Amino acid sequence: MDWYIGNEWTDATRGLHKKVLNLNLQLHCVEKPLAISTLIFTVNKSCANLGDRPSKYLANNDESQHEMEMGTAVTPIDCYLELLMQQFIAGETSACSIKTKSGDTLQFELKLELIVINTQIETLKGAELHKLALQYKENGVAMYKTYPKFAFDYFVRAAKLLITYKPFDKLDSKIEGIEGSELETLFVQVQTNIAACMLQEKRYEHVIYHTDFVETQEDPSEKSLYRRALAYYHMQEFEKAQLTIERVPNYEKKREFTKLLENIATSWKSSKANYKQVVQRMFS
C-alpha cells in the first residue's frame, strides 16, 4: 500500500488535518477505529503550540503511549483527537494538526499501534446502548459550562442513539436487557439538556420542540418546565409561558420562577400597551 503514504485527510470546518508518513500493516488487516472503539496509540513527537490547553494525551513533552476509549473525551483537543484517530489505519503514522480559533496551529505526530476493541453500533442491545448514551450525556454535562458547543454535540449523539428505540413502550426487555422506561427517562433528560444549549443560542422554537414531552407528562421536571417557559417568554408567548410556570408545584416559593413571572407580567403589560397604541394610530 505504498500509494497510501502521503495521503492527506482534512476537516476544514474543525481545522483538522493529517498526512500519512508511514504504514506498517498488522497481520495485513486494514481496519479503522469506529465510534465504539478502544485503541493503543503513540504520540511520537511532543505537541507544538499546545500552550495551556488541557489534554489527557498531548500534555506530556516526551514520546508516550496511550489507551483511548472513543467517546470519553471531555476537552476540545481530546475530542478532536478522537476524530483524527478514526481516520487512521492500524499501523499508520501520520503528522497531524489542529488549527484553533485563536489562529494557533497545534502540530504533533501520532501512530495507531493497535485496535483492541471495535464494535458496530448496530450490534448493541438496549442495555448497552443505554450505557453508551448515558456516557455521552455525562460527558456533555461535564463540558457544558466551559465548552457548550462540545456538550451540545454529546447530547445530540446520545439522543440519536436513544431515538432508534422509540417507541420505548414497545421494547422487549427480555431481549434488550433493559426496560423501555429507562431509555425514555434518559431520552427526556437529554432533550432537556439540548434545550439548555438551544437557549444559549437563542433558538427558542427549538427549545419548545425539544421540551414538547412536558405536554404528555404528569410530573415533568422543573428544569424542563423552566426552559420551556423561558423560551415562550422570549417568543412573547406570555400566556403560554405563565401557564407553563403554573404547572410547577409551589412555584410561588421558587425564586427563579417568581422572577420569570415578574418579567412575563411586565413584558405582557408593555406588549398590550404597545398593541393598543398601534390600534389607536390605525383608526385615528
Side-chain angles (χ1 to χ4, degrees):
M1 295 183 62
D2 291 342
W3 61 269
Y4 192 68
I5 308 301
N7 188 48
E8 298 186 50
W9 173 85
T10 300
D11 182 337
T13 302
R14 296 182 175 89
L16 308 180
H17 178 264
K18 81 174 184 73
K19 181 177 181 179
V20 180
L21 302 177
N22 189 24
L23 181 62
N24 181 19
L25 284 180
Q26 301 177 1
L27 302 177
H28 304 286
C29 179
V30 179
E31 185 179 20
K32 286 186 175 182
L34 300 172
I36 307 174
S37 179
T38 300
L39 52 91
I40 306 295
F41 74 98
T42 301
V43 181
N44 287 345
K45 291 183 179 180
S46 60
C47 180
N49 303 316
L50 180 63
D52 59 357
R53 298 177 180 89
S55 171
K56 177 180 178 181
Y57 307 107
L58 297 181
N60 296 329
N61 293 324
D62 301 325
E63 179 179 323
S64 54
Q65 191 172 92
H66 302 276
E67 180 177 282
M68 172 186 284
E69 182 181 347
M70 290 292 178
T72 61
V74 290
T75 69
I77 299 302
D78 292 346
C79 285
Y80 288 147
L81 276 178
E82 288 190 8
L83 291 175
L84 281 165
M85 293 308 306
Q86 288 182 56
Q87 309 307 317
F88 275 65
I89 292 175
E92 172 186 333
T93 300
S94 284
C96 302
S97 64
I98 302 173
K99 190 171 183 179
T100 68
K101 287 186 177 181
S102 62
D104 295 329
T105 300
L106 282 60
Q107 297 175 315
F108 45 94
E109 184 179 301
L110 304 177
K111 180 182 179 182
L112 176 52
E113 304 283 357
L114 177 67
I115 300 175
V116 182
I117 298 173
N118 231 14
T119 305
Q120 295 279 356
I121 288 179
E122 293 79 8
T123 65
L124 297 181
K125 291 191 179 295
E128 297 168 316
L129 185 142
H130 178 273
K131 181 180 179 181
L132 181 60
L134 179 60
Q135 176 180 295
Y136 287 162
K137 178 231 174 186
E138 290 176 346
N139 290 350
V141 171
M143 298 186 78
Y144 177 73
K145 287 186 178 180
T146 310
Y147 313 111
K149 292 186 181 297
F150 289 86
F152 174 70
D153 180 65
Y154 268 128
F155 296 145
V156 169
R157 287 163 69 180
K160 286 180 177 179
L161 288 178
L162 294 166
I163 205 170
T164 60
Y165 271 85
K166 294 188 72 175
F168 299 116
D169 60 352
K170 303 299 182 183
L171 180 142
D172 189 329
S173 59
K174 291 182 179 179
I175 294 175
E176 301 298 339
I178 193 171
E179 295 289 341
S181 58
E182 292 188 61
L183 290 171
E184 183 173 12
T185 297
L186 181 56
F187 184 68
V188 166
Q189 292 172 351
V190 169
Q191 291 286 87
T192 303
N193 291 339
I194 290 176
C197 296
M198 294 294 94
L199 278 173
Q200 283 198 345
E201 297 289 328
K202 299 181 179 180
R203 294 163 61 180
Y204 303 121
E205 290 184 359
H206 289 82
V207 176
I208 300 303
Y209 171 78
H210 285 290
T211 57
D212 195 52
F213 58 84
V214 306
E215 300 302 329
T216 57
Q217 285 189 328
E218 292 184 8
D219 187 25
S221 70
E222 290 187 7
K223 284 184 179 180
S224 58
L225 288 169
Y226 180 81
R227 290 165 188 173
R228 188 172 177 84
L230 188 57
Y232 275 135
Y233 165 69
H234 285 294
M235 294 168 65
Q236 298 187 13
E237 297 274 2
F238 302 122
E239 184 175 7
K240 290 182 179 179
Q242 179 176 313
L243 290 173
T244 301
I245 291 175
E246 289 174 350
R247 291 188 60 187
V248 178
N250 300 315
Y251 67 87
E252 307 94 333
K253 299 178 181 179
K254 297 176 170 61
R255 182 179 178 183
E256 197 172 27
F257 286 97
T258 55
K259 180 63 177 177
L260 180 55
L261 270 176
E262 290 174 6
N263 292 339
I264 290 169
T266 300
S267 298
W268 201 352
K269 184 177 180 180
S270 176
S271 177
K272 287 180 178 178
N274 289 337
Y275 177 76
K276 185 176 181 180
Q277 290 176 359
V278 169
V279 173
Q280 288 176 340
R281 284 198 297 268
M282 289 175 63
F283 295 97
S284 60

